[in-house]
Amino acid sequence: SQVDIGISVQYHRILKKIHINKIKEIAVNLHMAPLPEYRGCNQFSYAIINEDIKFGTTLHQLEEGIDSGAIIFEKRFKIKKNIWVEELYKQTVSKSIELFKEALPKLLKNNYKLKPQSLFYSERKSNYYNRDSIEQLKKINLSWDPDKIKKHVRATLMSGFKPPYFNIGKTEIYLEKQ
């Protein structure tokens, strides 16, 4: 069976052409990060590591690639210096809800333009981060500068996930926030 509009929100799998083809009008993905800067996973952590002062959330056309479809609507916002990953996540969820509320009536009325991400390559960097890359960010080297250690902890310490850590011999010592 077919549907008119398909909407994916933070779905952890890549939809295949067989699924996308069941959608008559448009398939849309809510990607809680700015595109094309943060395709893939772990976008909140990398925004902190990259010391971004702005972040965003994007509704884009869903296609077989990973977060590669044309941008339909986006919302950019400032983030505070030294933000923690959980704070950035919550801020992005809030802005994503705002974006979705603004965009849904326009989507239903077919009142939008598709903007290929390639239009933005000259002014925005384009990165892809895979699911496993977060493990490299979580491994703290105690010989790093203290500010770098703090940044990696802020970027990777999120409830419900394995915390950042360092090794003493073969023992992993996990860090937590007090």
Side-chain angles (χ1 to χ4, degrees), residues 3 21 44 57 62 80 85 117 144 150 155 157 178:
V3 298
N21 285 345
F44 311 108
T57 184
L62 188 62
K80 70 180 187 180
V85 68
Q117 290 186 38
W144 289 346
K150 287 179 197 171
L157 183 61
Q178 289 293 323

Side-chain angles (χ1 to χ4, degrees), residues 79-172:
I79 56 177
K80 70 180 187 180
K81 187 177 174 148
N82 297 323
I83 195 166
W84 287 75
V85 68
E86 202 142 8
E87 291 176 273
L88 181 53
Y89 170 77
K90 288 176 182 174
Q91 185 179 4
T92 307
V93 167
S94 175
K95 295 296 184 182
S96 296
I97 291 168
E98 288 176 19
L99 175 65
F100 196 77
K101 284 179 178 178
E102 294 165 8
L104 188 58
K106 294 175 184 175
L107 278 171
L108 295 174
K109 292 178 184 169
N110 203 17
N111 182 15
Y112 58 86
K113 288 185 179 170
L114 299 175
K115 295 167 255 168
Q117 290 186 38
S118 59
L119 290 177
F120 301 100
Y121 288 166
S122 63
E123 61 192 61
R124 301 178 185 176
K125 59 188 186 230
S126 178
N127 297 305
Y128 168 74
Y129 299 102
N130 68 33
R131 193 172 308 280
D132 299 329
S133 66
I134 192 72
E135 290 309 312
Q136 296 163 338
L137 293 182
K138 289 182 179 191
K139 189 169 185 178
I140 305 296
N141 183 330
L142 294 178
S143 68
W144 289 346
D145 174 87
D147 288 335
K148 182 176 181 178
I149 292 172
K150 287 179 197 171
K151 180 168 61 171
H152 277 256
V153 172
R154 282 189 300 102
T156 61
L157 183 61
M158 187 162 177
S159 56
F161 295 91
K162 178 183 171 182
Y165 65 95
F166 61 90
N167 285 71
I168 295 180
K170 293 185 179 185
T171 304
E172 290 182 353

Side-chain angles (χ1 to χ4, degrees), residues 7-51:
I7 300 172
S8 171
V9 178
Q10 290 299 107
Y11 189 55
H12 65 285
R13 291 189 151 161
I14 299 166
L15 293 176
K16 298 190 179 344
K17 195 171 191 93
I18 189 168
H19 304 113
I20 297 168
N21 285 345
K22 293 181 185 234
I23 301 163
K24 288 192 273 186
E25 308 255 338
I26 190 167
V28 175
N29 182 49
L30 174 64
H31 181 68
M32 291 198 319
L35 290 175
E37 296 99 309
Y38 289 99
R39 293 175 45 237
C41 301
N42 309 311
Q43 57 269 31
F44 311 108
S45 296
Y46 280 101
I48 292 169
I49 293 296
N50 295 336
E51 300 179 0

